[in-house]
Amino acid sequence: MTIDSELAIGSGDPMPPDVARTGPSPTGSLETDQSRTESGGTGLPRTGAREADPGRTGPPRTGKRDTDLGRTVPPRTAAREADPGRAVRMEKRRKSLRDIGLAVVFLTPALVFLLAFVYVPSVMALVLAFFHYKLGGVGTTWAGISNFTDALQLNVFRKALVNTFYYAGMMVPGTIILSVGLALLINKATRMYAFIRTLVLIPYVTPAVGTAIGWLWIFNPTYGLANGLLHWLGLPTSQWLQSPRMAMPSIAIYSLWHGVGFDVVIVMSAISSLPQGVLEAASVDGANAWRRFWRVTLPLISPTIFFLVIVTTIGTLQSFSQIYALSGASGGPEYSTTTLLFLIYETAFTYNHISYASAMAVLLVILILAFTLIQRWMGKRLVFYQ
């Protein structure tokens, strides 16, 4: 104990502030901050050091230092404190595993459905195309590619192939022109917008077989509405579905009426999302309505039109329900409405030639794939992506 401390204790005065902030020295004596500073500052306790330098910064304490201070820190916590990036990576890994688990749970029902009703039947059709097989028959024999060559040499198959191209050639341009035109007209409507849009979409949501009954009456050559309208206008009447020349156009008219509502809604969505500033700038520059549509609107909605072209082409190559409902099981007069899918159905379930029908189905898939690839190649050069 120093002389100053002994004088302070002996006189009964409170301990000076400088002495009160200091702790006992390693030798059991009290000393002031000034004395420690003069001796090089080596004897300052940790608490006193933090109070003397509150702005001191440094790396977080490690597990080893905490252990030295008597704290019990788990090794994993110590490692996390030593490497904060590792903790972030572990958290991301846990979130990734959780997302994968949720994806598996939600996708499993759809995958099971696709596996049972799409992938397995497709693989079976591909395998059966190389065999001779009939439903209820005993055993199968290897056929090689004879089913494919026989199908290509069949007159009905070539007639069905031409009818399929003829039907797609009417449906694809007709669907695009009608859907874009109706969408532009409906988009101009300021009143009853929702009602008109619903009115256009109603034929699409109604069953094709149910609406085909009404169209059979419209196309009736004796008392149908179509011939009545032509007679009222003074135009020559037609046999419609009973004529080999008009049977397929009649089905195309019905298919456009039934399916164009879906395409109109999609085009309306694309038009409503156009940037109005670009259209207004074109108007300020003096562009009329046709130039605004041809130079601004059409390029901006070209990705939507390209999507509709691909979907409509695939749908028309697979048309069946409307053809069967309007033409019956005969496929039209002189096979005028017999398409590839109609012929596949007739070959498989009417004549029980499963392998023959499977070979036709494989050829149809190859045809659809070729058309899709050609359209994608053209789309890269014609479609404008922002």
Side-chain angles (χ1 to χ4, degrees):
M1 183 175 295
T2 60
I3 299 173
D4 295 339
S5 300
E6 290 177 357
L7 292 175
I9 293 172
S11 62
D13 295 336
M15 187 177 293
D18 294 339
V19 179
R21 286 198 298 269
T22 58
S25 63
T27 58
S29 62
L30 297 175
E31 56 185 7
T32 62
D33 292 342
Q34 183 177 3
S35 63
R36 291 194 182 95
T37 303
E38 293 173 353
S39 63
T42 56
L44 188 66
R46 293 179 181 178
T47 305
R50 283 197 295 270
E51 292 178 353
D53 190 7
R56 178 187 178 187
T57 58
R61 293 182 175 182
T62 61
K64 183 177 182 302
R65 187 169 183 177
D66 293 337
T67 304
D68 294 342
L69 295 176
R71 293 174 53 190
T72 303
V73 180
R76 184 175 298 177
T77 304
R80 191 181 299 117
E81 291 179 354
D83 187 5
R86 182 173 180 270
V88 175
R89 291 194 297 271
M90 292 179 64
E91 184 66 23
K92 288 183 178 179
R93 185 177 303 173
R94 281 196 294 270
K95 289 183 179 179
S96 178
L97 292 175
R98 184 184 59 189
D99 293 341
I100 292 174
L102 289 175
V104 170
V105 170
F106 285 108
L107 289 177
T108 297
L111 290 176
V112 171
F113 180 83
L114 290 174
L115 188 67
F117 297 102
V118 178
Y119 298 135
V120 172
S122 300
V123 173
M124 290 180 62
L126 178 62
V127 173
L128 290 177
F130 295 93
F131 289 89
H132 292 297
Y133 173 75
K134 291 185 177 181
L135 289 176
V138 178
T140 57
T141 57
W142 174 256
I145 60 172
S146 61
N147 289 327
F148 297 93
T149 56
D150 292 343
L152 292 174
Q153 295 175 0
L154 194 64
N155 291 330
V156 178
F157 181 83
R158 291 199 291 267
K159 177 71 173 178
L161 187 64
V162 172
N163 289 337
T164 303
F165 288 153
Y166 182 38
Y167 181 68
M170 290 185 291
M171 284 297 299
V172 176
T175 300
I176 300 303
I177 294 173
L178 274 179
S179 59
V180 174
L182 290 175
L184 291 173
L185 291 177
I186 296 174
N187 197 46
K188 295 292 184 183
T190 56
R191 293 181 179 181
M192 302 170 54
Y193 177 81
F195 174 75
I196 297 174
R197 186 177 57 186
T198 306
L199 197 65
V200 173
L201 191 60
I202 283 177
Y204 177 76
V205 298
T206 53
V209 177
T211 55
I213 296 175
W215 279 86
L216 285 175
W217 168 74
I218 292 175
F219 287 135
N220 189 285
T222 304
Y223 49 83
L225 178 63
N227 277 347
L229 183 61
L230 292 176
H231 182 72
W232 181 70
L233 294 174
L235 298 175
T237 58
S238 175
Q239 295 296 316
W240 300 109
L241 294 171
Q242 298 180 12
S243 168
R245 185 174 60 87
M246 289 297 299
M248 187 60 82
S250 301
I251 295 177
I253 293 173
Y254 163 77
S255 300
L256 288 174
W257 170 83
H258 183 267
V260 77
F262 174 76
D263 304 276
V264 169
V265 172
I266 293 179
V267 176
M268 287 174 61
S269 301
I271 292 176
S272 62
S273 62
L274 291 177
Q276 296 299 319
V278 179
L279 297 174
E280 293 175 358
S283 300
V284 172
D285 291 340
N288 55 21
W290 170 251
R291 291 185 67 85
R292 287 199 304 272
F293 168 75
W294 188 256
R295 297 291 185 182
V296 180
T297 303
L298 192 59
L300 290 177
I301 64 173
S302 57
T304 303
I305 295 177
F306 177 65
F307 166 75
L308 292 179
V309 168
I310 292 180
V311 173
T312 306
T313 302
I314 295 174
T316 52
L317 294 178
Q318 298 177 344
S319 297
F320 175 77
S321 58
Q322 59 271 41
I323 295 173
Y324 189 86
L326 292 175
S327 303
S330 60
E334 301 177 5
Y335 299 101
S336 58
T337 61
T338 300
T339 58
L340 281 180
L341 197 63
F342 187 90
L343 182 62
I344 291 170
Y345 168 80
E346 191 177 33
T347 304
F349 300 104
T350 303
Y351 302 107
N352 197 16
H353 295 310
I354 301 299
S355 297
Y356 208 38
S358 299
M360 294 180 185
V362 173
L363 293 175
L364 178 59
V365 171
I366 294 173
L367 181 66
I368 293 174
L369 181 62
F371 267 93
T372 304
L373 293 177
I374 293 173
Q375 289 172 345
R376 283 180 58 84
W377 178 78
M378 295 177 63
K380 293 180 180 178
R381 289 157 178 78
L382 299 177
V383 177
F384 173 75
Y385 293 101
Q386 299 184 30

